[in-house]
Amino acid sequence: MESIKAFLENLYIDEKKKILLAVSGGVDSVVMLDALYNLTTLYPIDLAIAHFNHQIRGAASDADEK
């Protein structure tokens, strides 16, 4: 979490920024989304989420998409 906070502190100055997250539904994507969402209370960011199906886990990837 500290490395994400450091990244946001270097990226954001005063104005509200939008971040588009490409989320597949896998554990790593969900953790990224959760971490950034929790930081929206500390930083002026607006999150948008786009689903990305890597199609590498077959039916599981398709289920995540649905």
Side-chain angles (χ1 to χ4, degrees), residues 5 15 22 24-25 27-29 31 40 45 52-53:
K5 285 173 68 174
E15 61 187 78
S24 67
V27 173
D28 54 344
S29 290
V31 169
T40 60
I45 57 176
F52 184 79
N53 187 342

Side-chain angles (χ1 to χ4, degrees), residues 40-52:
T40 60
T41 59
L42 300 174
Y43 299 96
I45 57 176
D46 183 21
L47 298 178
I49 304 162
H51 181 264
F52 184 79

Side-chain angles (χ1 to χ4, degrees), residues 6-38:
F7 171 76
L8 291 173
E9 287 170 0
N10 288 327
L11 185 61
Y12 299 103
I13 310 296
D14 291 324
E15 61 187 78
K16 189 169 189 172
K17 300 288 184 175
K18 290 188 178 192
I19 296 176
L20 176 61
L21 300 175
V23 177
S24 67
V27 173
D28 54 344
S29 290
V30 174
V31 169
M32 172 188 66
L33 172 59
D34 183 60
L36 285 169
Y37 177 77
N38 286 319

